[in-house]
Amino acid sequence: MKLDGEETRSIRPSEDGSAIAVLDQTLLPWRTVWITIDSAAAAAHAIRTMQVRGAPLIGGVGAYGLALALRADPSDGGLEAAYAMLAATRPTAVNLRWALDRVRDAVRNRPHDARAAIAWAEAGAICDDDVATNAAIGRHGLPLLEEIAARKRRGERVNVLTHCNAGWLATVDWGTATAPIYAAHDAGLPVHVWVDETRPRNQGAALTAFELGNHGVPHTIIADNAGGHLMQRGQVDIVIVGTDRVTRTGDVANKIGTYLKALAARDNGVPFWVALPHSTIDWRVRDGLAGIPIEERGAEEVTEITGLGPDGTVTRVRVANPGSTAGNPAFDVTPARLVTGLITERGRCAASEVGLLGLYPERA
């Protein structure tokens, strides 16, 4: 996708296999800073502190982190220790463990002196797969927006509401929820995006708006609680969100607040679609409420906010009553019954086990 007018990916691997460069997303949109990750510990730190975030991107960075660990210690013990450290960084998104499993499987029973190179190549393949997957999600989601445009008067905009950031900043390229939006925009459709601010970390206002603006997609930032109001007044044609984990029965875990958007969409007859790559499906879990761990993050994310100060520096200020405590569940689960359908790299389907197995029969 485009950053400052140039096409880029969110991960830039070095040619010699010694490091990767990633955007520090805690500084966006105010400063564009590429940081270097040259060890598994650095990868774990970047994931844990949300310098990198978004389920597919976490998976890609985790894969490279495991490859970097094997440069330092290619033994079985080194492999397992690095795997455990990286897997513990974020519990909800299933892509991380999927990517780590793929790298570990690739190097098992291989000579120790070849493991680092094999793992590096596998991490690159995971990232290339993510790009191709998300581009396919865009192709399969585009007809949904084309059908809406066909029902409207010529030139009337197609209004999409999205939540959090499921764009190219959360993946290696294209994004998941944004892939159909970019495809529609590039095809000349008059698409407009309502961007939820997405408290408490404001990934929508900071990140989704940043990348849509860089690509030239018309958008408007709204308060999280405005979505239902807009739906009631017919100003939202479709909701498209991403996800950090989908059960085999179609339950969806995504950024906190997604469930409320699904409820409002159902009440107002607005289609609610979820875009996801194959790596986000957790085939082991049937009941999302019972089986998906929900990450509880620090209270300071709720009581404080990051912004650009009057002097141009990035700063944090407290917005909550001094002395009050805060809870911070990072995700919620939207039951499959509230999801109109899923958009995957293999096509669209119902949010159900039958629907998913229709696209992935090898999982039956």
Side-chain angles (χ1 to χ4, degrees):
M1 302 307 295
K2 291 181 180 178
L3 179 64
D4 297 329
E6 297 183 0
E7 292 187 1
T8 189
R9 289 185 175 186
S10 57
I11 299 178
R12 296 175 175 176
S14 66
E15 292 186 2
D16 63 359
S18 63
I20 59 172
V22 296
L23 282 166
D24 185 345
Q25 296 191 29
T26 64
L27 298 178
L28 290 173
W30 309 284
R31 293 169 55 195
T32 303
V33 176
W34 290 88
I35 58 174
T36 299
I37 293 176
D38 58 5
S39 67
H45 173 79
I47 295 169
R48 188 179 301 109
T49 61
M50 295 184 71
Q51 288 177 304
V52 295
R53 28 71 51 208
L57 180 59
I58 290 171
V61 172
Y64 274 115
L66 193 51
L68 290 167
L70 293 172
R71 285 175 61 93
D73 181 0
S75 68
D76 289 347
L79 171 64
E80 295 303 327
Y83 178 101
M85 176 183 64
L86 289 161
T89 54
R90 300 290 303 276
T92 300
V94 74
N95 306 62
L96 175 59
R97 190 172 294 274
W98 170 85
L100 294 174
D101 285 346
R102 185 165 155 177
V103 173
R104 184 172 64 177
D105 289 347
V107 301
R108 271 181 171 162
N109 302 318
R110 303 299 295 272
H112 287 191
D113 59 1
R115 283 181 167 182
I118 294 169
W120 188 264
E122 190 66 20
I126 288 170
C127 290
D128 289 343
D129 174 78
D130 183 67
V131 176
T133 292
N134 295 332
I137 289 172
R139 291 193 298 272
H140 291 301
L142 174 59
L144 297 174
L145 303 183
E146 290 176 327
E147 290 165 8
I148 295 170
R151 297 194 297 266
K152 290 177 172 284
R153 294 188 298 271
R154 184 177 180 85
E156 188 178 0
R157 72 187 192 183
V158 176
N159 287 302
V160 183
L161 185 144
T162 191
H163 189 68
C164 196
N165 174 254
W168 72 264
L169 289 170
T171 65
V172 181
D173 205 354
W174 285 101
T176 54
T178 58
I181 295 169
Y182 287 128
H185 173 77
D186 291 351
L189 266 66
V191 63
H192 165 265
V193 185
W194 296 111
V195 179
D196 278 355
E197 60 182 344
T198 320
R199 285 281 293 147
R201 292 189 66 94
N202 291 330
Q203 294 103 320
L207 303 179
T208 301
F210 171 81
E211 63 170 79
L212 291 175
N214 268 276
H215 202 73
V217 179
H219 62 280
T220 304
I221 299 168
I222 58 172
D224 283 350
N225 291 330
H229 167 81
L230 295 172
M231 292 183 208
Q232 285 179 324
R233 282 154 179 76
Q235 294 177 266
V236 177
D237 296 304
I238 187 172
V239 180
I240 307 177
V241 300
T243 174
D244 291 80
R245 190 184 302 213
V246 172
T247 69
R248 71 181 294 128
T249 57
D251 294 340
V252 173
N254 193 46
K255 185 56 58 182
I256 194 76
T258 303
Y259 173 51
L260 294 179
K261 294 300 182 299
L263 288 171
R266 172 59 61 91
D267 189 52
N268 290 281
V270 175
F272 184 94
W273 286 84
V274 178
L276 66 145
H278 58 90
S279 56
T280 300
I281 305 170
D282 190 339
W283 297 99
R284 304 165 301 172
V285 176
R286 290 182 174 275
D287 184 339
L289 285 173
I292 298 177
I294 300 299
E295 179 181 4
E296 180 80 22
R297 294 188 60 81
E300 71 281 355
E301 292 184 351
V302 176
T303 59
E304 301 175 5
I305 195 167
T306 299
L308 196 65
D311 60 354
T313 60
V314 179
T315 187
R316 290 188 66 81
V317 297
R318 186 175 178 92
V319 295
N321 175 58
S324 293
T325 59
N328 187 17
F331 303 90
D332 58 27
V333 175
T334 299
R337 60 184 170 80
L338 297 177
V339 178
T340 304
L342 307 174
I343 312 169
T344 81
E345 77 284 352
R346 294 191 183 182
R348 302 192 303 272
C349 70
S352 67
E353 184 169 10
V354 171
L356 282 167
L357 289 177
L359 294 181
Y360 301 93
E362 69 274 16
R363 293 290 183 170

